[in-house]
Amino acid sequence: MKEKRNLKVTFNRSGGTASKGGITSRITLPITWVRKMELNPEDREIIATFDGEKIIIEKKGARE
């Protein structure tokens, strides 16, 4: 099953010990996708891979 959604990246100024002008980015994923991946507050580690064009998000241990 392949599902596509248009999502937005949010940008925030970094705080703490970040360099002056530092920015962080975040993407919010639909909870239905997160649940299908069986992620939860106790088991939430993922592997993110970037090939220059696409970001692939997988549950840690799924293909290790």
Side-chain angles (χ1 to χ4, degrees):
M1 171 185 113
K2 204 175 217 184
E3 181 180 344
K4 288 186 178 184
R5 294 213 190 166
N6 291 324
L7 305 174
K8 292 187 178 182
V9 179
T10 58
F11 294 90
N12 295 304
R13 291 198 171 127
S14 299
T17 60
S19 64
K20 186 176 181 180
I23 296 177
T24 60
S25 60
R26 293 187 176 142
I27 299 172
T28 301
L29 301 174
I31 192 64
T32 54
W33 295 2
V34 171
R35 287 181 180 145
K36 284 183 182 181
M37 291 179 71
E38 298 180 353
L39 296 168
N40 58 64
E42 292 78 35
D43 187 14
R44 60 189 180 140
E45 290 191 59
I46 59 146
I47 302 291
T49 307
F50 179 60
D51 69 4
E53 294 181 17
K54 294 183 279 186
I55 299 170
I56 299 170
I57 300 172
E58 300 173 287
K59 184 175 179 178
K60 186 173 180 182
R63 293 189 186 195
E64 291 183 286

